[in-house]
Amino acid sequence: MEHVKQNGRASSSPVRVGLGVAAVFEASTLLATQDKTVRAASPWQDDPYDVVVSLAQFAVPMLALVIGLRLLVRQAPGGADRVRQTVRAAAAMITLVALTLGVEWAAVVARTPALRSRAWTSALIGGLAVNSVLTAVVVALLVRSLRRHGPSGGGETDWLGDAVFVCRRIPMLRRSVGPDTAAWMRRRAMTVFVGLSALAAAALTAAQAVGERWTDPLLIAWFLIVETTTNLAFCVISNAVAGFVARPPRTRLRRIAEASVVAGCVAISGATAFRDTLWPLFGTGSLTSVPAVAALTLGAGLVTSVGTAALLLAGLPWDPSGLRGRFAAATARLRPRGESKSP
């Protein structure tokens, strides 16, 4: 037990440093995206760079929040597995930060001379350099911590257990939240992910529509779908890495269906980011029509989802003898007692 506590304290140091780096990254990202003057000087203000920056802007603080809450709940059961999961979650957060910084460096290399304020541009690039150095240090610390702890042990130890542990100590929630609630969410994890993704997307879409004064229902609906699919892909992939929800075993067909949906969601985000590059392959002129944008991006997601499902289904093992054996076993169970087998 003392060894587990020592490992937990040792592992919390790189996690806490990672949270600090994430805070610096989030502050600089908010400055570059929310202030109009600074945004006009940002090399990564346009797509495809802005798609990745926008995702990180909301995903990084969400991951930092759940990691910080887990560090506060020290008394929850789980032991070494909780430590491994926390380190993996921090690694996922810093990986997203590093990916975003890489995209921003790509924007710096490819930037055009149309930026308004060279002073702010230089300041943003300087901040990018500082963030890159800090992120590299945290990556080294987390890699060493991951090697020390090894892969996650799996099982029923997940972040839902922490939520139940906290809720059981709040008088108003003690009776309404318990192990049964966590078990229900584990069985219906995909439904929970879809609901949370749609809820977050609806809030962001409403803010965007009000801020940009959108009046086109098709534009609002398309933006809502894109945000929902992006959030869903993030939820499923991050859960696979960090183990926020310990999902029970699923059938092969269900796993294929979920993988296909996630692949389609990723394709929608990719097509949205590179829509101007992809459009000449399917149409002529500039891409300014909302129906054309919706058809291009959502069509890419649909084709990718169907193609992924077809490829995964083609890899399913086909064993006719095994099917005959299972059919024979089922027939034997249905045969009345005392009836002999046919020759």
Side-chain angles (χ1 to χ4, degrees):
M1 180 62 68
E2 185 64 27
H3 176 68
V4 172
K5 291 182 179 179
Q6 291 177 356
N7 282 340
R9 286 192 292 267
S11 299
S12 64
S13 297
V15 173
R16 293 177 188 276
V17 175
L19 290 175
V21 172
V24 175
F25 166 82
E26 184 66 16
S28 60
T29 301
L30 289 176
L31 176 64
T33 57
Q34 301 305 311
D35 187 280
K36 293 183 178 181
T37 302
V38 180
R39 182 177 176 83
S42 173
W44 48 86
Q45 61 180 286
D46 298 321
D47 290 332
Y49 318 108
D50 187 60
V51 169
V52 179
V53 175
S54 298
L55 172 62
Q57 177 182 346
F58 292 97
V60 169
M62 293 299 101
L63 288 173
L65 176 62
V66 296
I67 293 171
L69 291 176
R70 168 161 271 205
L71 292 178
L72 295 177
V73 186
R74 299 177 179 272
Q75 300 83 7
D81 201 44
R82 294 181 74 252
V83 175
R84 284 190 291 265
Q85 291 174 350
T86 306
V87 175
R88 286 169 65 88
M93 177 184 67
I94 294 301
T95 299
L96 181 57
V97 171
L99 174 63
T100 306
L101 295 177
V103 169
E104 291 176 352
W105 278 118
V108 171
V109 173
R111 75 183 189 276
T112 61
L115 301 176
R116 298 179 183 177
S117 174
R118 293 188 177 183
W120 272 116
T121 301
S122 300
L124 289 174
I125 295 176
L128 176 59
V130 172
N131 274 321
S132 299
V133 173
L134 295 176
T135 302
V137 173
V138 177
V139 167
L141 294 175
L142 289 173
V143 167
R144 186 172 61 180
S145 184
L146 287 171
R147 288 177 178 175
R148 180 168 61 248
H149 291 286
S152 177
E156 291 297 321
T157 303
D158 59 8
W159 304 63
L160 284 178
D162 290 3
V164 172
F165 180 84
V166 173
C167 292
R168 297 288 289 178
R169 280 151 180 78
I170 301 176
M172 296 179 61
L173 301 176
R174 184 173 301 166
R175 294 183 178 180
S176 58
V177 179
D180 293 341
T181 305
W184 183 90
M185 296 182 69
R186 292 186 183 105
R187 291 193 304 268
R188 297 167 176 81
M190 197 65 177
T191 302
V192 173
F193 292 153
V194 171
L196 292 176
S197 300
L199 184 63
L204 182 60
T205 302
Q208 187 75 8
V210 172
E212 299 294 334
R213 298 181 180 179
W214 288 348
T215 58
D216 187 348
L218 182 58
L219 175 61
I220 296 173
W222 171 78
F223 190 85
L224 176 62
I225 294 173
V226 171
E227 288 299 322
T228 301
T229 53
T230 301
N231 294 340
L232 179 59
F234 167 73
C235 287
V236 176
I237 294 174
S238 62
N239 185 71
V241 174
F244 297 113
V245 179
R247 306 188 65 183
R250 291 153 288 158
T251 64
R252 179 76 182 275
L253 289 178
R254 183 170 179 179
R255 294 199 303 271
I256 289 176
E258 292 182 359
S260 302
V261 169
V262 173
C265 292
V266 174
I268 290 175
S269 298
T272 301
F274 294 95
R275 59 187 182 274
D276 292 331
T277 303
L278 295 174
W279 178 245
L281 301 176
F282 303 97
T284 58
S286 59
L287 185 59
T288 57
S289 170
V290 176
V293 173
L296 175 65
T297 55
L298 302 185
L302 179 61
V303 171
T304 302
S305 183
V306 173
T308 302
L311 289 175
L312 294 177
L313 285 172
L316 275 174
W318 175 252
D319 185 6
S321 61
L323 291 177
R324 287 198 299 268
R326 289 192 291 271
F327 179 76
T331 304
R333 287 195 297 269
L334 295 175
R335 185 181 297 114
R337 292 184 179 180
E339 182 178 333
S340 61
K341 298 181 180 178
S342 59

